[in-house]
Amino acid sequence: MSVTRKLSTNKYSTKQRAQDRARILQILLTNKAVATGILGKFPQPDVHTPEQDIAEVVKLVARLPAADLADVLEALPSEERHALWSLVKDDERGKVLIEASETVWDDLIEGMSDKALLNIIRPLDIDDQIYLAQYLPRDLMGRLLATLPQEERARVRQVLHYEKHSVGAIMDFEVITVRADVTLAVVQRFLRLRGKVPQNTDKVFVTTRDKTLLGELGLTTILLHAPQTLVLNVMDDNPTCFAPEDDDEAAARTFERDDLISAAVIDSSGKLIGRLTIDEIVDVVYEETDNDLRRMGGLSAEEDVFAPVSKAVKARWAWLAINLCTAFVASRVIGLFEHTISQLVALASLMPIVAGIGGNTGNQTITMIVRALALQHIQPGNFSFLVLRELGVALFNGIIWGGVMGCVTWLLYDDLALGGVMTLAMVLNLLVASLMGVLIPMIMMRLGKDPAVGSSVLITAITDTGGFFIFLGLATIFLL
């Protein structure tokens, strides 16, 4: 008797998930009454409850995976975010939190007690529990430790010794190990008895009885070789390994370079203590990219785009204060040449061009240098070449585009000397911008600071001030 399984044709595709996310956002953002209805608070008693829209949101929330719900929560203002969060089931909330950005954690857990928080993270894997308990805006580690078995408690204490941006802080404790002296048939039987394997498992690790790592055995190797083959004869005895103290960004570069899905984490004595997986590496890459973009503009890495005005002001005031100071310095430079500007009014309309082209060049250079530093491409031996290269690019662009603006200035104002000053000023300011674009991130790196922090703010200040000084200074020398 043959049995035919009927396969469902109604798969929940990524396209449908995207449409469902967009639909939730549309409903919550276009009808304020939906969020207030979900939260059960109406400012006026005669407001009609949009029951159909609420029912649709409830249905979509129940269907969407945790990662999609996290994306929607990050895209909502505070009240709508709390309304949607209230619809997420308790046994799903921990999964949503682990997928959501740290920028929204504080808002999501604002009305939750520590006990409620511990209850929603308890269904998660132990490594996810540790991560949330350690980095949530509240210190839950002590209470989490009290609820864990002795073995898991020891793991937690081990992780707490590692820095936040280290391999040890993000490694997964769930690993599958086998012995080198067994056959592949034994390994296959062992895996079947387990019933399931951890996510992102592409290999098992070969160890001694005391957990010393000998090698790794890919799942494809287990499947494609003869069952009677010994593990020792087909394992990779030179696997890629990480130490728990290694930097997570450096590990991410290794994953990209070696096309890894998972890799062993070993201690100083060579014993296997965990593994690093591609899902954690993707999170590292996304977080660092997002943080670098924010820092280059002088924004806090923790700032939520929908945070209240008071929080946003606190997060941004420092760099705005610095920017105000640099703008004041630039205005004082212009003030030094008031006499020159009063006699040549055309200078006032040309100054922003010199400063603007310099700022753009500086930001291009800084972006290249910050990226090169992140990838560890810059070494003492190639630094001088890098500086000369950027200066060469700036000189070439300055001559071309400075010449174009010089000709335009000559035609507009019928003044050849003014056109020449414009050309020379653009060349010099582009050279300054390129030099500072290299030096600023290198100096910050030497001082132990993140080279991306506020770099665009600093380069703009320097090119504005320098551009004004160079242009007006040349005009004073050659035109008066």
Side-chain angles (χ1 to χ4, degrees), residues 384-406:
S384 58
F385 168 80
L386 193 64
V387 173
L388 292 175
R389 174 189 177 276
E390 291 301 318
L391 289 176
V393 172
L395 180 62
F396 187 77
N397 283 331
I399 291 173
I400 292 177
W401 300 110
V404 169
M405 272 311 302

Side-chain angles (χ1 to χ4, degrees), residues 6-38:
K6 185 178 180 181
L7 297 177
S8 172
T9 57
N10 298 320
K11 302 296 184 184
Y12 197 18
S13 65
T14 54
K15 181 179 179 181
Q16 184 61 50
R17 286 163 58 184
Q19 291 173 347
D20 288 349
R21 294 196 305 269
R23 180 57 181 160
I24 292 176
L25 290 173
Q26 181 186 15
I27 293 173
L28 289 175
L29 295 175
T30 57
N31 189 349
K32 192 76 172 177
V34 174
T36 54
I38 292 172

Side-chain angles (χ1 to χ4, degrees), residues 96-139:
V96 174
L97 269 182
I98 205 70
E99 296 289 346
S101 168
E102 293 182 30
T103 58
V104 302
W105 281 357
D106 201 10
D107 194 26
L108 291 177
I109 69 173
E110 185 178 13
M112 300 180 66
S113 66
D114 288 354
K115 182 178 179 181
L117 272 174
L118 287 172
N119 286 336
I120 69 170
I121 70 175
R122 190 164 288 120
L124 300 175
D125 294 336
I126 181 61
D127 52 315
D128 289 338
Q129 290 186 48
I130 296 170
Y131 180 76
L132 285 175
Q134 193 171 6
Y135 300 121
L136 279 173
R138 297 181 211 162
D139 185 9

Side-chain angles (χ1 to χ4, degrees), residues 10 35 40 46 67 95 151 171 187 205 224 234 259 265 268 292 295 338 348 373 380 384 386 388 418 444 468 472 479:
N10 298 320
D46 59 338
K95 298 175 185 177
E151 182 181 353
M171 68 179 176
V187 175
F205 300 103
L224 299 179
V234 291
D259 295 324
V265 181
S268 57
D292 284 348
R295 289 166 181 161
E338 285 182 356
L373 286 170
S384 58
L386 193 64
L388 292 175
L418 181 58
M444 295 185 75
F468 294 150
L472 296 176
L479 301 180

Side-chain angles (χ1 to χ4, degrees), residues 7-325:
L7 297 177
S8 172
T9 57
N10 298 320
K11 302 296 184 184
Y12 197 18
S13 65
T14 54
K15 181 179 179 181
Q16 184 61 50
R17 286 163 58 184
Q19 291 173 347
D20 288 349
R21 294 196 305 269
R23 180 57 181 160
I24 292 176
L25 290 173
Q26 181 186 15
I27 293 173
L28 289 175
L29 295 175
T30 57
N31 189 349
K32 192 76 172 177
V34 174
T36 54
I38 292 172
L39 294 172
K41 54 180 183 180
F42 286 96
Q44 299 174 0
D46 59 338
V47 175
H48 176 65
T49 305
E51 295 178 356
Q52 185 175 351
D53 286 341
I54 292 176
E56 184 177 359
V57 172
V58 171
K59 180 181 177 181
L60 293 174
V61 168
R63 183 165 61 175
L64 276 172
D68 294 87
L69 291 174
D71 283 347
V72 177
L73 286 165
E74 292 175 13
L76 289 170
S78 184
E79 184 175 21
E80 287 77 8
R81 181 182 292 163
H82 282 285
L84 186 64
W85 180 243
S86 69
L87 297 178
V88 180
K89 296 179 181 177
D90 285 346
D91 58 354
E92 289 291 317
R93 283 188 166 191
K95 298 175 185 177
V96 174
L97 269 182
I98 205 70
E99 296 289 346
S101 168
E102 293 182 30
T103 58
V104 302
W105 281 357
D106 201 10
D107 194 26
L108 291 177
I109 69 173
E110 185 178 13
M112 300 180 66
S113 66
D114 288 354
K115 182 178 179 181
L117 272 174
L118 287 172
N119 286 336
I120 69 170
I121 70 175
R122 190 164 288 120
L124 300 175
D125 294 336
I126 181 61
D127 52 315
D128 289 338
Q129 290 186 48
I130 296 170
Y131 180 76
L132 285 175
Q134 193 171 6
Y135 300 121
L136 279 173
R138 297 181 211 162
D139 185 9
L140 301 175
M141 191 55 67
R143 299 191 65 170
L144 176 64
L145 284 170
T147 66
L148 295 177
Q150 180 62 36
E151 182 181 353
E152 291 185 347
R153 199 178 304 160
R155 288 180 177 179
V156 174
R157 291 198 176 98
Q158 185 181 18
V159 170
L160 292 178
H161 288 97
Y162 304 125
E163 298 291 335
K164 181 176 182 180
H165 294 290
S166 67
V167 167
I170 60 173
M171 68 179 176
D172 185 356
F173 289 111
E174 195 171 4
V175 295
I176 300 177
T177 61
V178 297
R179 302 285 179 261
D181 56 355
V182 301
T183 64
L184 296 184
V186 173
V187 175
Q188 291 174 7
R189 193 159 56 248
F190 168 66
L191 292 176
R192 284 195 294 269
L193 288 172
R194 280 183 58 95
K196 66 175 183 177
V197 296
Q199 287 186 337
N200 300 303
T201 296
D202 64 321
K203 65 192 65 157
V204 298
F205 300 103
V206 185
T207 66
T208 62
R209 293 188 180 280
D210 67 349
K211 295 294 185 181
T212 299
L213 182 68
L214 299 177
E216 61 187 24
L217 186 66
L219 296 185
T220 53
T221 302
I222 298 172
L223 293 173
L224 299 179
H225 285 77
Q228 65 271 20
T229 306
L230 284 175
V231 169
L232 179 64
N233 296 332
V234 291
M235 72 178 187
D236 178 3
D237 59 2
N238 188 29
T240 300
C241 302
F242 296 97
E245 298 83 10
D246 288 345
D247 180 72
D248 58 2
E249 286 190 69
R253 287 192 290 272
T254 302
F255 263 67
E256 184 274 330
R257 187 167 51 246
D258 295 351
D259 295 324
L260 298 174
I261 295 176
S262 66
V265 181
I266 58 176
D267 62 16
S268 57
S269 61
K271 288 183 171 57
L272 180 68
I273 58 175
R275 66 180 184 134
L276 198 55
T277 59
I278 188 64
D279 58 337
E280 297 295 346
I281 291 299
V282 170
D283 290 341
V284 168
V285 172
Y286 177 83
E287 180 184 354
E288 290 304 319
T289 302
D290 180 60
N291 288 346
D292 284 348
L293 287 172
R294 291 167 177 264
R295 289 166 181 161
M296 287 186 74
L299 293 175
S300 167
E302 292 78 29
E303 184 177 346
D304 175 12
V305 69
F306 293 109
V309 172
S310 58
K311 288 187 177 180
V313 169
K314 291 178 182 177
R316 301 184 190 186
W317 74 267
W319 281 107
L320 289 176
I322 293 173
N323 203 16
L324 179 62
C325 294

